[in-house]
Amino acid sequence: DIVMTQTPLSLSVTPGEPASISCRSSQRLLDSDDGNTYLDWYLQKPGQSPRLLIYTLSHRASGVPDRFSGGGSGTDFKLTISRVETEDVGVYYCMQRIDLPYTFGQGTKLEIK
Amino acid sequence: QMQLVESGGGVVQPGRSLRLSCAVSGFTFSNYAMHWVRQAPGLGLEWVAAISHDAKKKYYSDSVKGRFTISRDNSKNTLYLQMNSLRSDDTALYYCVRIPSLWGQGTLATVSS
């Protein structure tokens, strides 16, 4: 199974400041057949289902503000929030779906200072 | 409006069974592979099982293989998860998911004596 490791596990950010979350996979997530990197990012707000933020490495899902961006290569990936807002609180997860079983990172809890 | 609505959760004793259902609407169910993902109380996300669009291929996590069965009825737009020989560590909120973008609200299965 592919192991996904997120850092940090918690983050406290002042509104308006940037934030980033790293995710490392134990195997490469690049599909050489179609060129896609199958790494997604989710945000789970308290009491809610996970919401897709970023899919296939860097594509923002519908309705996701452009302050969220995803990037990386190989086995190292990053979610960046350019300017954190109070509504961004919750737990962020990375997930790989290049190979079954799909696996998630442990989650990163973002709090507002 | 695309929607996934899970049902069937409840409290059961160890060793007993539960059958979860997921009613789908707003998209052509028979065109998509579907998944179950679970989340134990206060913990992270765990992929459980997947089924191809035509039900010919089924995949399971090692933790549920041999005990859980995923199935679907494309004529009824419904996904199922038959859970047998339940254990206390199966206690979780079970999400029906059209990975990566569409998640249900979840149904809680509690295994306790």
Side-chain angles (χ1 to χ4, degrees):
Chain A
D1 298 1
I2 297 175
V3 177
M4 306 296 288
T5 304
Q6 283 182 234
T7 54
L9 298 184
S10 65
L11 200 52
S12 183
V13 184
T14 300
E17 294 297 305
S20 65
I21 300 168
S22 294
C23 178
R24 176 168 288 178
S25 58
S26 61
Q27 299 176 31
R28 296 172 66 89
L29 305 182
L30 172 66
D31 187 326
S32 55
D33 290 335
D34 62 15
N36 287 323
T37 297
Y38 286 97
L39 186 281
D40 305 321
W41 290 96
Y42 295 90
L43 166 59
Q44 187 175 31
K45 295 185 177 183
Q48 296 185 17
S49 303
R51 174 198 178 191
L52 179 68
L53 296 176
I54 303 289
Y55 63 96
T56 52
L57 183 65
S58 59
H59 299 88
R60 266 189 305 276
S62 176
V64 174
D66 60 8
R67 64 178 182 275
F68 290 92
S69 62
S73 63
T75 60
D76 290 300
F77 310 100
K78 185 174 289 188
L79 176 71
T80 301
I81 310 173
S82 59
R83 294 173 305 279
V84 171
E85 298 190 5
T86 55
E87 65 184 28
D88 299 336
V89 296
V91 181
Y92 291 79
Y93 294 94
C94 60
M95 184 194 80
Q96 68 79 19
R97 56 185 170 97
I98 193 169
D99 199 16
L100 288 167
Y102 294 168
T103 46
F104 295 86
Q106 315 97 301
T108 297
K109 187 173 185 178
L110 187 147
E111 297 177 330
I112 299 296
K113 278 185 184 175
Chain B
Q1 180 185 358
M2 296 184 291
Q3 202 170 7
L4 306 173
V5 180
E6 302 94 334
S7 60
V11 180
V12 293
Q13 294 179 326
R16 303 299 291 265
S17 300
L18 268 180
R19 188 195 198 201
L20 308 183
S21 299
C22 171
V24 169
S25 59
F27 66 94
T28 305
F29 179 60
S30 58
N31 286 352
Y32 292 89
M34 295 295 296
H35 301 254
W36 289 96
V37 173
R38 69 184 180 183
Q39 185 170 35
L43 297 182
L45 300 166
E46 178 190 13
W47 176 87
V48 172
I51 186 168
S52 62
H53 69 98
D54 57 5
K56 290 184 178 179
K57 297 180 181 179
K58 302 177 183 182
Y59 308 90
Y60 300 94
S61 67
D62 285 345
S63 59
V64 308
K65 199 173 296 181
R67 300 186 299 121
F68 289 13
T69 301
I70 189 171
S71 62
R72 65 192 296 161
D73 186 334
N74 285 346
S75 68
K76 295 182 178 179
N77 288 342
T78 304
L79 177 72
Y80 303 100
L81 186 67
Q82 177 67 43
M83 305 190 296
N84 298 333
S85 302
L86 283 162
R87 311 185 304 221
S88 57
D89 62 354
D90 294 318
T91 294
L93 189 61
Y94 284 77
Y95 294 103
C96 168
V97 190
R98 195 190 84 182
I99 284 180
S101 58
L102 193 57
W103 293 62
Q105 85 290 348
T107 186
L108 181 63
T110 303
V111 184
S112 173
S113 54

